């Protein structure tokens, strides 16, 4: 059975609802990556958040990175699509480069730091660190699923 999302109101929803988020993997010339320590849970992650209904994904990335870090970015390319199967969140992750601004703390970030790839893997949970490592690779965007804690492994 083929299921699809529709803009037509349905009396009984036949399709699952998903939330769409975006994140920016902002890479400096020296290879360091822009990260935040989130204020709500204290975890290290790439900057990002929920895509607004009327917003293009690239616009959402620029907005979220700026709101959380003070850095203005240019979006380079889509590097991955990540599905949180336990929460119904689909994350679109884009590689970006900085175009201006300066690092600043916000209500959403306890810290804003440029980390090395090794620091990323040691500070971030696997489901976020893989987004950075995927973005640092060349090639087609990766498509991955996870349960919010661990990546789903290929069978």
């Amino acid at each position: 059975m083929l299921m699809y999302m529709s803009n037509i109101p349905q009396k009984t929803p036949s399709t699952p609802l998903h939330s769409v988020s975006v994140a920016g993997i902002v890479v400096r010339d020296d290879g360091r990556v822009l990260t935040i320590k989130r204020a709500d849970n204290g975890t290290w992650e790439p900057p990002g958040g929920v895509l607004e209904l009327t917003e293009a994904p690239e616009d959402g990335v620029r907005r979220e990175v700026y709101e959380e870090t003070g850095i203005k970015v240019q979006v380079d390319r889509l590097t991955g699509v990540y599905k949180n199967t336990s929460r119904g969140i689909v994350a679109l992750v884009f590689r970006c480069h900085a175009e201006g601004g300066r690092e600043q703390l916000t209500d959403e970030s306890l810290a804003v730091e440029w980390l090395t790839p090794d620091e990323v893997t040691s500070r971030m949970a696997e489901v976020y660190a893989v987004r950075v490592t995927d973005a640092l690779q060349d090639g087609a965007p990766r498509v991955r699923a996870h349960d919010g804690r661990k990546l789903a492994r290929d069978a």
Side-chain angles (χ1 to χ4, degrees), residues 28-129:
R28 283 196 323 203
D29 290 341
D30 65 1
R32 288 183 174 263
V33 177
L34 184 64
T35 62
I36 65 165
K37 186 173 186 178
R38 292 178 54 101
D40 60 354
N41 61 19
T43 61
W44 286 94
E45 296 179 14
V50 176
L51 184 65
E52 294 178 2
L53 190 58
T54 60
E55 196 171 41
E58 294 88 345
D59 294 337
V61 171
R62 285 188 285 272
R63 177 185 53 77
E64 285 288 344
V65 171
Y66 182 73
E67 284 178 0
E68 294 183 359
T69 69
I71 300 295
K72 294 180 181 179
V73 299
Q74 175 64 41
V75 176
D76 296 328
R77 66 183 178 91
L78 177 70
T79 59
V81 177
Y82 304 85
K83 168 80 182 276
N84 181 328
T85 57
S86 64
R87 296 186 59 206
I89 300 171
V90 176
L92 307 175
V93 179
F94 295 84
R95 183 171 170 146
C96 307
H97 64 272
E99 285 196 317
R102 61 181 170 79
E103 299 86 355
Q104 61 188 28
L105 299 182
T106 69
D107 291 341
E108 298 180 59
S109 58
L110 297 174
V112 176
E113 292 187 24
W114 294 90
L115 302 180
T116 67
D118 286 341
E119 290 170 329
V120 163
T121 56
S122 68
R123 290 191 195 184
M124 286 186 189
E126 176 186 42
V127 296
Y128 296 105

